[in-house]
Amino acid sequence: MNMEVTCLLLLTLIPFHCRGQGVYAPAQAQIVHAGQACVVKEDNISERVYTIREGDTLVLQCLVTGHPRPQVRWTKTAGSASDKFQETSVFNETLRIERIARTQGGRYYCKAENGVGVPAIKSIRVDVQYLDEPVLTVHQTVSDVRGNFYQEKTVFLRCTVNSNPPARFIWKRGSDTLSHSQDNGVDIYEPLYTQGETKVLKLKNLRPQDYASYTCQVSVRNVCGIPDKAITFRLTNTTAPPALKLSVNETLVVNPGENVTVQCLLTGGDPLPQLQWSHGPGPLPLGALAQGGTLSVPSVQALDSGYYNCTATNNVGNPAKKTVNLLVRSMKNATFQITPDVIKESENIQLGQDLKLSCHVDAVPQEKVTYQWFKNGKPARMSKRLLVTRNDPELPAVTSSLELIDLHFSDYGTYLCVASFPGAPVPDLSVEVNISSETVPPTISVPKGRAIVTVREGSPAELQCEVRGKPRPPVLWSRVDKEAALLPSGLPLEETLDGKLRLERVSRDMSGTYRCQTARYNGFNVRPREAQVQLNVLFPPEVEPSSQDVRQALGRPVLLRCSLLRGSPQRITSAVWRFKGQLLPPPPAVPVAGEASDHSELRLDAVTRDSSGSYECSVSNDVGSAVCLFQVSAKAYSPEFYFDTPNPTRSHKLSKNYSYVLQWTQREPDAVDPVLNYRLSVRQLNQHSAMVKAIPVRRVEKGQLLEYILTDLRVPHSYEVRLTPYTTFGAGDMASRIIHYTEPINSPSLSDNTCHFEDEKICGYTQDLTDNFDWTRQNALTQNPKRSPNTGPPTDISGTPEGYYMFIETSRPRELGDRARLVSPLYNASAKFYCVSFFYHMYGKHIGARQHLGFSASVVSLSRTTTR
């Protein structure tokens, strides 16, 4: 059975200040904790530290004072790699994080600001406690002693764990705890430069009794209720690290479409090692099957090439690893280059000069590719003037070059380069190049009228460069005006065969200069030729304000202004004003010589009821339009509730009602006509009916604190209060808040502030609606004569029959685990402190057994006093 009396103490210890106009005061803040904190402590530098167990719920509350009511923003530094909390601030007085992770530890900041003075910033460091499962590895060394007469074997058992706070290690052999002082054959130490916390158990000159089971037990001393954890390893005379061998060579070359099977065979290891296959880069191919040491990859393709790793681990020694480099034969991207005489720095083909033709394919394996040259359909014959070379240092690896020395007219013709894998079912790739007097290096230019391309945002665009020459190489596109900028495709460079860069759905950030240049492959290997194209993206205007609330007293003028922030073109071509959807005459323009208009204005000579309402300014720049919205009225702004009233709750012991001091100021009272009265609506939560009352006021000044006492409120219910100002214009903006019953402090006299259960309202305590049964208020005169015999006290702590106490009957029908809970009111002590004390009585033959579960009866007497 559970007996619970819960006190909810909200101790606002922030002193109140009045600064600025009237009661306006800058924000002040204090962080309090709730939720599942293990402990909140002050460390050695007077820093507040909130300690919590990983996986529990973090609850921090920022208590604020200041007027107007400060807005609270939570931010964080340090940690937060998982959820990037510092980039997603929480605007709420209460910060709640479910299942907190270790990466969410760090310093949390509460920033409160209300526009008066400087913001208040408080912080608390959250320390997340955790203890992972330990990892135990074994290493062995053998050394010769005394000239090889015998060998000495040393074993190191290394235990590593990640934890916070640092873990304590205990080593055991069997059930016996090990230490240096009790066994000269062991040494326990902490190694340097290790990740995580590590303790090593060294078994020196291994003895027969050292072959046993060893346990590494780690503990954080039950901090936050985290239990100890342990791992055990059995050391035998056969303990050995894993060893592997492969069923294939370390480099395996296969044809596409073949089924590949690789076996990874264990040749040693005790305990039996675990085998695992992995692939790099990326995961294992889709369809690959790894069963134990056997890896099967059906119908391999070129994309399946890569390194396949077989790893064996048994926590003894280092893991054993074998790697197979799987190469699936493939060829792609056949290219050629025409290189004029390099020595003479020529860029043209000329008789009597040297000429080099190069051919390259991207292949796997690259070094197994063979090249064959043909001229006019016949194999090219080697001679003193015709040389075929391979691996030219100035060209990509495994490139074949055909060099023509002292070019003759008879050398003109069509040359064909064929790349192949001899004996493999991989199709050959070939590339053809024609050498003649018409073979000339490229030129590039932008077609007439295409140097500047202007399109609307969201439309497609085509940038074009024309290449002349024979052969015509591909065109490479890049950005010019932005450093390291990427093309819309996400690439820094993009190849087009026809010289056209096609962009789909262009956006404004694509505006700028683009470079087109000739490639040095599939054409002449000479300095690239280049040109530039300017892309202008037209987009609708952006204006400010997008929405504005304009307040003015009746009869006063108002100027509405809609300004262009950005747009392409950056000018206003038309501006149309509407009032409540109806078109207004165009306002008179104020021309500025030589400048395009960047705003439009509308002047209202006087605010009236008829001229109050919604105004819309639609601004256009010939591409699109944007709208400024203005809400013009003489409505009063909303009241600003004052939340720092000391002891707003007032109550009487003989009454079940309470009163509440409601205070507020009026926001910007001089902006509109004077406030004449307020309409007050008070509704009990979960009820539909409300009490409505008019509160007349005289001239309200900025910062003036207004007050009204709400009466006949029922203990301990909460109420929604709505307050609406009224001027000669009519109703203004409404403000609402919830008020809660708090236990009042009625007098500075200590005796007047003492509360016992003689109070029918039981000092503001309430029965919890989520428990299983309720407490009963009674005394010796009112107790139930049918209650279980020999349960409960004859009187309360006063010893008089009139003294009241709270009682629960825990005999049948109550069951083990039933809960009865009393919840205190919310104490708001401001600058004072509460002292809450209880006297309890438990009676029955089971008292003290099973952690006080199953006792016959429980009684609580309350003494609550308030002290300074």
Side-chain angles (χ1 to χ4, degrees):
M1 201 69 60
N2 288 319
M3 173 190 67
E4 296 191 9
V5 180
T6 303
C7 285
L8 305 179
L9 296 180
L10 181 59
L11 303 181
T12 310
L13 306 181
I14 308 171
F16 173 77
H17 299 279
C18 288
R19 298 179 183 172
Q21 301 184 53
V23 295
Y24 285 111
Q28 298 194 49
Q30 179 180 349
I31 297 176
V32 297
H33 63 89
Q36 298 170 292
C38 305
V39 65
V40 176
K41 61 183 180 180
E42 308 289 331
D43 69 4
N44 56 358
I45 58 173
S46 299
E47 177 186 45
R48 298 194 67 206
V49 181
Y50 179 111
T51 303
I52 187 171
R53 178 173 176 170
E54 185 174 47
D56 285 349
T57 300
L58 169 72
V59 180
L60 298 176
Q61 187 175 7
C62 189
L63 303 182
V64 295
T65 61
H67 188 70
R69 182 72 168 177
Q71 296 294 312
V72 174
R73 177 187 180 193
W74 285 95
T75 55
K76 175 182 175 292
T77 59
S80 182
S82 60
D83 61 357
K84 298 184 179 180
F85 181 88
Q86 64 272 30
E87 298 178 7
T88 55
S89 302
V90 173
F91 293 87
N92 200 334
E93 293 186 11
T94 300
L95 172 67
R96 183 181 183 90
I97 301 178
E98 304 281 351
R99 297 184 296 277
I100 192 168
R102 64 191 65 178
T103 55
Q104 293 174 303
R107 179 170 296 283
Y108 286 80
Y109 292 87
C110 159
K111 181 179 181 181
E113 55 185 335
N114 62 354
V116 180
V118 298
I121 301 177
K122 296 294 181 180
S123 69
I124 187 170
R125 183 162 61 87
V126 174
D127 194 15
V128 181
Q129 311 282 280
Y130 57 90
L131 178 64
D132 290 345
E133 294 291 339
V135 176
L136 196 155
T137 57
V138 180
H139 299 269
Q140 305 178 81
T141 62
V142 178
S143 59
D144 294 332
V145 179
R146 296 181 183 178
N148 295 331
F149 285 106
Y150 70 95
Q151 289 184 325
E152 183 178 276
K153 188 173 184 180
T154 302
V155 174
F156 301 86
L157 286 84
R158 178 187 296 260
C159 185
T160 302
V161 70
N162 293 315
S163 70
N164 183 36
R168 179 179 63 185
F169 292 78
I170 298 175
W171 281 100
K172 294 182 179 180
R173 179 192 290 127
S175 59
D176 299 329
T177 301
L178 295 174
S179 66
H180 319 275
S181 58
Q182 297 178 356
D183 190 337
N184 293 330
V186 303
D187 189 15
I188 300 174
Y189 63 93
E190 182 176 338
L192 299 176
Y193 311 115
T194 55
Q195 185 175 4
E197 300 167 61
T198 302
K199 275 293 195 303
V200 174
L201 172 64
K202 180 181 179 181
L203 305 177
K204 302 178 289 187
N205 191 15
L206 209 63
R207 305 160 298 181
Q209 63 265 33
D210 292 330
Y211 294 112
S213 292
Y214 291 86
T215 298
C216 171
Q217 180 177 324
V218 292
S219 171
V220 290
R221 295 161 290 283
N222 203 40
V223 62
C224 293
I226 300 176
D228 296 351
K229 296 184 179 180
I231 186 171
T232 300
F233 182 88
R234 180 162 184 80
L235 180 68
T236 69
N237 57 3
T238 61
T239 298
L244 294 173
K245 71 175 183 179
L246 292 172
S247 62
V248 298
N249 295 329
E250 292 184 353
T251 299
L252 180 61
V253 182
V254 298
N255 295 319
E258 291 184 0
N259 297 325
V260 175
T261 300
V262 180
Q263 287 187 323
C264 186
L265 305 174
L266 283 172
T267 59
D270 184 22
L272 184 67
Q274 299 293 318
L275 294 173
Q276 185 175 14
W277 281 96
S278 61
H279 176 250
L284 290 172
L286 190 64
L289 180 62
Q291 288 184 325
T294 301
L295 174 68
S296 300
V297 185
S299 186
V300 295
Q301 302 300 320
L303 292 177
D304 299 332
S305 295
Y307 291 94
Y308 290 79
N309 308 302
C310 175
T311 305
T313 56
N314 67 348
N315 289 341
V316 179
N318 295 319
K321 183 177 179 180
K322 292 292 184 180
T323 299
V324 177
N325 183 14
L326 178 63
L327 302 176
V328 182
R329 291 187 179 92
S330 65
M331 287 192 298
K332 61 181 181 180
N333 299 335
T335 59
F336 71 89
Q337 289 179 316
I338 302 172
T339 306
D341 198 320
V342 176
I343 297 176
K344 297 182 180 181
E345 299 182 353
S346 176
E347 291 193 347
N348 295 285
I349 297 176
Q350 297 182 26
L351 296 177
Q353 294 185 357
D354 296 344
L355 181 67
K356 180 165 62 178
L357 308 180
S358 303
C359 174
H360 177 80
V361 294
D362 297 329
V364 177
Q366 189 74 53
E367 66 278 4
K368 298 299 182 181
V369 176
T370 63
Y371 295 94
Q372 188 174 5
W373 286 92
F374 296 84
K375 177 186 177 184
N376 298 328
K378 297 180 180 180
R381 295 183 180 181
M382 299 281 288
S383 67
K384 292 181 180 181
R385 290 195 314 103
L386 193 152
L387 304 177
V388 176
T389 60
R390 188 179 174 95
N391 294 330
D392 189 322
E394 298 180 357
L395 299 172
V398 192
T399 296
S400 178
S401 296
L402 185 147
E403 297 188 41
L404 297 171
I405 310 300
D406 187 18
L407 186 68
H408 292 183
F409 182 81
S410 60
D411 294 326
Y412 286 167
T414 300
Y415 291 83
L416 179 69
C417 173
V418 179
S420 61
F421 278 128
V426 178
D428 296 345
L429 287 184
S430 63
V431 63
E432 186 178 85
V433 56
N434 185 268
I435 302 299
S436 69
S437 59
E438 297 179 353
T439 303
V440 294
T443 62
I444 193 169
S445 62
V446 179
K448 185 178 180 180
R450 301 289 296 173
I452 300 178
V453 177
T454 302
V455 295
R456 291 179 178 241
E457 189 172 39
S459 301
E462 183 177 273
L463 311 185
Q464 182 179 359
C465 286
E466 289 184 345
V467 178
R468 293 183 175 85
K470 189 176 181 180
R472 290 193 298 178
V475 174
L476 303 179
W477 287 89
S478 60
R479 297 289 294 266
V480 175
D481 53 349
K482 295 184 179 180
E483 184 178 354
L486 300 178
L487 292 166
S489 62
L491 302 172
L493 208 65
E494 187 170 334
E495 175 190 284
T496 62
L497 299 179
D498 59 359
K500 296 179 180 179
L501 179 64
R502 297 171 176 85
L503 306 175
E504 300 293 336
R505 297 185 60 82
V506 297
S507 58
R508 63 194 66 180
D509 60 336
M510 296 183 188
S511 296
T513 305
Y514 289 73
R515 176 191 295 114
C516 58
Q517 64 182 35
T518 55
R520 302 183 68 167
Y521 55 87
N522 289 350
F524 276 74
N525 181 22
V526 294
R527 176 183 56 84
R529 276 61 168 164
E530 64 179 50
Q532 294 184 355
V533 178
Q534 177 70 31
L535 175 63
N536 294 333
V537 179
L538 304 178
F539 57 91
E542 296 180 14
V543 295
E544 67 171 0
S546 58
S547 179
Q548 184 177 8
D549 186 12
V550 180
R551 305 290 177 103
Q552 187 59 277
L554 291 172
R556 295 181 185 175
V558 166
L559 180 65
L560 308 180
R561 180 186 177 107
C562 183
S563 300
L564 176 65
L565 286 179
R566 62 187 65 86
S568 179
Q570 181 77 13
R571 66 177 184 272
I572 295 178
T573 57
S574 67
V576 177
W577 286 87
R578 290 181 172 85
F579 172 56
K580 295 182 179 179
Q582 300 298 315
L583 193 65
L584 294 176
V590 181
V592 179
E595 294 185 10
S597 175
D598 63 354
H599 68 273
S600 179
E601 294 180 346
L602 177 67
R603 180 180 179 84
L604 304 180
D605 294 331
V607 175
T608 64
R609 287 183 176 84
D610 293 336
S611 64
S612 297
S614 177
Y615 288 81
E616 173 186 308
C617 177
S618 179
V619 169
S620 174
N621 66 348
D622 289 340
V623 177
S625 61
V627 174
C628 294
L629 293 177
F630 302 90
Q631 191 66 38
V632 178
S633 77
K635 289 173 56 176
Y637 286 104
S638 61
E640 302 165 317
F641 284 113
Y642 188 68
F643 288 84
D644 299 331
T645 306
N647 308 320
T649 306
R650 299 175 183 178
S651 178
H652 301 283
K653 293 182 178 180
L654 300 180
S655 172
K656 292 186 178 181
N657 294 340
Y658 71 97
S659 60
Y660 193 92
V661 180
L662 186 71
Q663 294 181 314
W664 70 93
T665 60
Q666 178 60 40
R667 178 187 169 196
E668 302 296 339
D670 298 329
V672 296
D673 297 292
V675 176
L676 303 177
N677 61 74
Y678 288 89
R679 182 180 184 270
L680 175 68
S681 171
V682 181
R683 180 184 64 85
Q684 180 181 323
L685 294 187
N686 302 321
Q687 299 290 330
H688 296 291
S689 60
M691 181 275 291
V692 179
K693 181 178 179 60
I695 306 174
V697 292
R698 295 182 179 179
R699 175 84 181 174
V700 178
E701 302 291 340
K702 183 177 177 65
Q704 177 185 351
L705 189 62
L706 305 175
E707 179 178 302
Y708 184 82
I709 299 178
L710 305 175
T711 59
D712 297 326
L713 306 178
R714 300 288 293 175
V715 176
H717 296 294
S718 299
Y719 292 81
E720 180 191 38
V721 176
R722 296 184 177 185
L723 197 61
T724 306
Y726 276 78
T727 65
T728 55
F729 179 80
D733 292 338
M734 182 268 295
S736 67
R737 64 168 293 191
I738 304 297
I739 61 172
H740 302 280
Y741 173 75
T742 59
E743 192 61 11
I745 302 176
N746 298 315
S747 168
S749 169
L750 182 63
S751 60
D752 290 343
N753 286 321
T754 302
C755 180
H756 305 281
F757 285 136
E758 277 70 29
D759 178 14
E760 291 186 6
K761 296 179 293 185
I762 59 174
C763 303
Y765 278 73
T766 57
Q767 305 281 358
D768 188 0
L769 300 179
T770 63
D771 58 9
N772 306 103
F773 64 110
D774 290 340
W775 292 79
T776 302
R777 176 178 172 270
Q778 64 182 32
N779 61 14
L781 303 177
T782 62
Q783 67 183 16
N784 186 353
K786 294 184 179 180
R787 76 181 187 185
S788 300
N790 299 321
T791 60
T795 65
D796 76 336
I797 191 63
S798 69
T800 64
E802 294 82 13
Y804 277 87
Y805 53 85
M806 301 301 294
F807 171 83
I808 55 172
E809 173 70 71
T810 60
S811 302
R812 292 183 180 179
R814 301 272 68 85
E815 296 181 355
L816 183 66
D818 281 359
R819 186 183 300 266
R821 183 188 285 115
L822 279 178
V823 181
S824 80
L826 186 65
Y827 291 124
N828 185 359
S830 295
K832 302 178 181 180
F833 297 89
Y834 276 95
C835 173
V836 180
S837 60
F838 295 93
F839 302 91
Y840 65 91
H841 177 278
M842 294 186 292
Y843 182 68
K845 65 179 180 180
H846 299 300
I847 296 303
R850 293 184 294 175
Q851 298 181 344
H852 293 182
L853 296 177
F855 51 74
S856 298
S858 294
V859 174
V860 172
S861 296
L862 172 67
S863 173
R864 193 217 71 207
T865 61
T866 304
T867 61
R868 289 184 179 273

